[in-house]
Amino acid sequence: MLPKDPVMLLSFLNMKLRDFYQSLEELCRDLNVDEREITEKLASIDYHYDGERNQFV
């Protein structure tokens, strides 16, 4: 279950990306979550996925 709060979600996803996944696509596939939904929720707090850094910035 992903955190509902966008700031908590940001922290959770960046930790998972840093420690366990090579890309957002891989994370979403493994956790069975919608990539578009995640990116839209984090865009609402002005964070966007950076593929080169493999994190939301």
Side-chain angles (χ1 to χ4, degrees), residues 9-24:
L9 179 62
L10 170 67
S11 178
F12 174 81
L13 291 175
N14 275 344
M15 182 270 303
K16 289 288 193 182
L17 289 166
R18 180 189 69 232
D19 295 344
F20 302 105
Y21 297 99
Q22 298 297 313
S23 69
L24 179 60

Side-chain angles (χ1 to χ4, degrees), residues 36-53:
R36 185 177 55 87
E37 185 178 323
I38 288 173
T39 55
E40 287 176 0
K41 184 173 262 191
L42 292 181
S44 74
I45 60 169
D46 203 27
Y47 279 84
H48 306 279
Y49 180 68
D50 181 335
E52 287 184 23
R53 296 171 72 177

